[in-house]
């Protein structure tokens, strides 16, 4: 801050008959410097000020040239007037320049400063003198940053001689304790002042208990991560174990075939699924090649053959789909379309030691969707799986009421649906109080025996499965209407930093 700016403000107020504008009195000082000086004076009630926001007209580089050397049309007039016998149109660019000739000739003709002899193609002066109105207008704008006639501003903008920008200035007036002299106030009471007695004669700056502290730069959790955390807490409270979901790339076997999704299903088309081009295919299912992880009780070859058989001819009481199942199709690599591929992998591991289990995952999935306000090619899926003996459809409905109740959704409806890997299947609808309507919030069902018994799980074991997107509840909680504002390159960092932590209702 300029050392004497507070004093300069007080002097300017003393010389003025009323309020002053900082933009006119201190044009060379920065906004921060002026604001700091005014705050310093205002805290002592020496001045009062208010902020004024206005549009200022700024001259372009071309306009600066007109202010210094005259307008294009004035240059053309002077060139034509200087030529006693008139000036050929073809010679004009050489004398005044191409740009001035191009713009100025038409303007000068329209203003009737010059006339054109069409037979000889010669320009002649139509008057002895002119007033360069454009130059005068730009000179006024250069001084005042505006012009009284809005039409002039509009015309000059069309000619690209002006550009508008927002400017903030302050209107300053004398305060209740105005004085011409600015007395420096000490901010600290030192040991030297006490020892010397100087503290008796100094003026101490009063504490400002209403001032706000400086913002501390810090990181911020994305809204999706906040809602994800709440979901994880709900699952952990209900005794679930989190599944490893670090494999974005899966084989068609784990993503589709093991879930009893036929190889002709539309979900496996290129229009719906992203396929990996290099490498095209993977190995058959087996222990993890990187870690060697795998239970010796798991018979991967038998699992592979059972999946083939249940698709081609049927097995475990099912007639299957009765089509020639292709090994190459099952080994194609895809970006996983759902985290159910991980659930399938975990349930197959469970077959080595069948027991009641609860698994969940919250992670990213990929689908070849057309991007719009509610769809992205990648999003997050929340999935839960419960394996136990003697499970029923009524138990699934009851569990859904408890699970969604912890999210604050207490009114549910269930609608019969179709999924290749669950039977029965249900879509879950919840009543949204804010929207005052029923909205689909998830999908659920009981995994089919063709899927479970092929893994080697006991025939008596039943498995619930359900899932929902992470984005939909996040959009509802934070009032986001376009999913692209929540995930992707269009996300506003201010939105991420300013939104509060979310708290899903708990009972």
């Amino acid at each position: 801050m300029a050392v004497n700016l507070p004093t300069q403000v007080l002097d300017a107020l003393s010389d003025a008959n009323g309020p002053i504008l900082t933009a006119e009195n201190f044009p060379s000082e920065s906004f921060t410097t002026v604001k700091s000086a005014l705050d310093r004076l205002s805290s002592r009630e020496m001045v009062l000020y208010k902020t004024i926001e206005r549009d200022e007209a700024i001259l372009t580089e071309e306009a600066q040239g007109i202010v210094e050397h005259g307008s294009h049309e004035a240059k053309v007039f002077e060139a034509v007037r200087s030529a006693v016998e008139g000036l050929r149109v073809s010679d004009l660019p050489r004398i005044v320049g191409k740009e001035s000739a191009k713009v100025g000739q038409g303007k000068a003709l329209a203003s009737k400063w010059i006339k054109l002899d069409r037979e000889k193609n010669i320009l002649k002066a139509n008057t002895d003198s002119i007033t360069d109105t454009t130059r005068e207008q730009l000179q006024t704008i250069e001084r005042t940053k505006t012009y009284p006639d809005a039409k002039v501003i509009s015309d000059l903008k069309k000619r690209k001689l002006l550009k508008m920008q927002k400017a903030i200035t302050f209107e300053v007036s004398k305060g209740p304790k105005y004085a011409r002299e600015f007395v420096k106030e000490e901010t600290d009471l030192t040991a030297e002042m006490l020892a010397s007695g100087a503290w008796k004669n100094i003026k101490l700056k009063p504490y400002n208990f209403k001032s706000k502290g400086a913002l501390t730069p810090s990181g911020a959790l994305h809204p999706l991560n906040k809602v994800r955390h709440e979901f994880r807490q709900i699952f952990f409270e209900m005794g679930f174990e989190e599944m490893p979901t670090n494999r974005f790339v899966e084989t068609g076997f784990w993503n589709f075939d093991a879930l009893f999704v036929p190889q002709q299903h539309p979900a496996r088309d290129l229009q719906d699924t992203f396929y990996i081009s290099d490498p095209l295919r993977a190995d058959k299912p087996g222990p993890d090649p990187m870690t060697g992880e795998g239970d010796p009780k798991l018979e991967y070859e038998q699992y592979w053959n059972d999946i083939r058989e249940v698709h081609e001819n049927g097995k475990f009481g099912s007639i299957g789909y009765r089509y020639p199942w292709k090994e190459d199709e099952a080994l194609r690599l895809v970006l996983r379309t759902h985290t159910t591929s991980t659930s399938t992998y975990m349930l197959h591991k469970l077959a080595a030691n069948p027991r009641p289990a609860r698994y969940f995952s919250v992670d990213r999935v990929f689908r070849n969707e057309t991007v719009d306000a509610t769809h992205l090619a990648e999003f997050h899926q929340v999935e839960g799986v419960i394996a136990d003996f003697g499970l029923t459809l009524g138990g699934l409905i009851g569990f859904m009421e408890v699970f969604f109740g912890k999210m604050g959704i207490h009114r549910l409806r269930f609608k019969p649906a179709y999924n290749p890997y669950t039977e029965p299947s249900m879509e879950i609808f919840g009543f949204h109080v804010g929207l005052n309507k029923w909205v689909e919030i998830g999908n659920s069902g009981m995994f089919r025996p063709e899927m479970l018994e092929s893994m080697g799980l006991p025939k008596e074991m039943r498995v619930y499965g359900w899932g929902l997107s992470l984005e939909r509840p996040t959009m509802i909680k934070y009032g986001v209407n376009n999913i692209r504002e929540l995930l992707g390159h269009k996300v506003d960092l201010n939105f991420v930093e300013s939104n509060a932590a979310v708290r899903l209702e708990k009972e």
Side-chain angles (χ1 to χ4, degrees), residues 172-460:
V172 189
S173 57
K174 295 178 181 179
K177 297 182 180 179
Y178 170 80
R180 183 72 178 265
E181 183 181 356
F182 179 78
V183 179
K184 182 183 176 183
E185 295 176 332
E186 298 292 341
T187 57
D188 295 305
L189 184 63
T190 64
E192 290 78 9
M193 293 177 183
L194 293 173
S196 64
W199 62 272
K200 298 176 182 178
N201 302 317
I202 64 172
K203 186 174 182 180
L204 291 171
K205 182 179 180 181
Y207 282 108
N208 182 3
F209 293 103
K210 295 181 180 180
S211 65
K212 296 180 179 179
L215 292 176
T216 303
S218 63
L221 284 176
H222 191 282
L224 281 172
N225 279 337
K226 296 175 185 177
V227 177
R228 179 178 180 271
H229 172 76
E230 287 299 303
F231 271 113
R232 292 181 76 240
Q233 293 305 113
I234 290 173
F235 278 116
F236 287 137
E237 285 175 11
M238 302 181 77
F240 281 76
E241 175 187 345
E242 189 165 17
M243 294 184 282
T245 54
N246 55 344
R247 293 192 304 203
F248 287 176
V249 177
E250 288 282 10
T251 62
F253 178 84
W254 289 112
N255 200 76
F256 296 117
D257 295 272
L259 276 72
F260 199 52
V261 178
Q263 293 183 341
Q264 301 87 0
H265 196 281
R268 301 178 77 150
D269 292 343
L270 287 171
Q271 290 85 355
D272 294 288
T273 300
F274 291 109
Y275 285 89
I276 305 301
S277 59
D278 185 21
L280 282 171
R281 290 172 178 81
D283 297 329
K284 288 183 179 181
D288 192 315
M290 300 295 292
T291 64
E293 180 187 349
D295 196 302
K297 296 179 183 178
L298 295 176
E299 299 180 5
Y300 289 99
E301 189 63 32
Q302 181 63 43
Y303 184 30
W304 174 268
N305 292 331
D306 283 344
I307 291 295
R308 177 199 297 274
E309 185 68 18
V310 82
H311 277 256
E312 284 191 339
N313 305 308
K315 198 173 182 181
F316 311 113
S318 170
I319 62 173
Y321 291 114
R322 291 169 289 178
Y323 71 94
W325 187 79
K326 297 178 181 178
E327 181 176 305
D328 284 351
E329 183 67 24
L331 296 179
R332 292 181 71 183
L333 288 168
V334 302
L335 286 178
R336 67 180 179 207
T337 60
H338 47 197
T339 52
T340 315
S341 57
T342 304
S343 301
T344 307
Y345 179 77
M346 294 298 292
L347 289 171
H348 179 242
K349 287 179 64 176
L350 187 66
N353 180 21
R355 64 195 185 282
R358 295 185 173 198
Y359 299 123
F360 83 93
S361 64
V362 185
D363 212 337
R364 192 167 296 197
V365 297
F366 309 86
R367 294 182 190 173
N368 196 356
E369 300 265 14
T370 300
V371 176
D372 58 28
T374 57
H375 295 86
L376 289 177
E378 54 181 301
F379 57 97
H380 295 80
Q381 182 175 330
V382 180
E383 179 159 334
V385 171
I386 297 178
D388 208 340
F389 298 93
L391 298 179
T392 64
L393 181 63
L396 174 59
I397 292 174
F399 183 85
M400 290 295 96
E401 290 174 343
V402 174
F403 176 78
F404 284 101
K406 289 181 174 289
M407 295 168 52
I409 303 173
H410 299 283
R411 295 173 62 185
L412 297 181
R413 285 179 179 173
F414 301 90
K415 175 184 174 182
Y418 168 75
N419 290 314
Y421 44 90
T422 57
E423 181 61 39
S425 306
M426 300 182 300
E427 291 177 347
I428 309 167
F429 290 82
F431 186 78
H432 190 277
V433 178
L435 300 176
N436 196 32
K437 68 177 183 179
W438 293 90
V439 295
E440 184 181 350
I441 56 176
N443 211 323
S444 66
M446 300 181 70
F447 286 128
R448 296 178 66 103
E450 293 96 333
M451 175 183 165
L452 300 178
E453 292 185 43
S454 297
M455 298 174 177
L457 288 169
K459 188 170 184 175
E460 300 77 19

Side-chain angles (χ1 to χ4, degrees), residues 8 158 257 279 498:
Q8 292 178 25
K158 289 178 182 177
D257 295 272
S498 61

Side-chain angles (χ1 to χ4, degrees), residues 15-144:
D15 298 337
N17 293 324
I20 62 172
L21 293 176
T22 56
E24 296 175 359
N25 286 267
F26 313 105
S28 61
E29 300 293 347
S30 68
F31 169 85
T32 305
T33 302
V34 173
K35 181 74 164 59
S36 179
L38 294 180
D39 284 341
R40 190 175 180 188
L41 293 170
S42 176
S43 66
R44 295 161 175 79
E45 299 184 12
M46 298 181 75
V47 302
L48 301 174
Y49 74 91
K50 62 181 180 180
T51 305
I52 299 175
E53 186 174 306
R54 63 178 183 177
D55 291 321
E56 286 191 347
I58 305 300
L59 302 190
T60 63
E61 186 176 345
E62 181 182 354
Q64 292 285 1
I66 291 175
V67 169
E68 293 177 14
H69 308 294
S71 66
H72 300 304
E73 53 268 35
K75 290 179 182 178
V76 170
F77 171 77
E78 289 299 329
V80 173
R81 189 176 64 85
S82 300
V84 180
E85 299 299 325
L87 182 66
R88 288 186 176 277
V89 174
S90 57
D91 293 336
L92 187 60
R94 176 177 54 81
I95 297 172
V96 299
K98 289 184 179 180
E99 185 65 25
S100 291
K102 179 181 175 181
V103 177
Q105 181 180 327
K107 290 283 183 183
L109 286 168
S111 301
K112 297 183 180 181
W113 295 350
I114 61 175
K115 59 185 177 181
L116 173 63
D117 186 337
R118 296 187 180 277
E119 290 184 3
K120 299 180 180 179
N121 206 26
I122 290 177
L123 295 169
K124 293 184 178 180
N126 214 20
T127 182
D128 293 331
S129 62
I130 60 166
T131 300
D132 193 348
T133 307
T134 301
R135 185 181 190 181
E136 291 179 354
Q137 290 170 344
L138 291 174
Q139 286 173 337
T140 300
I141 292 171
E142 185 180 38
R143 291 193 309 272
T144 65

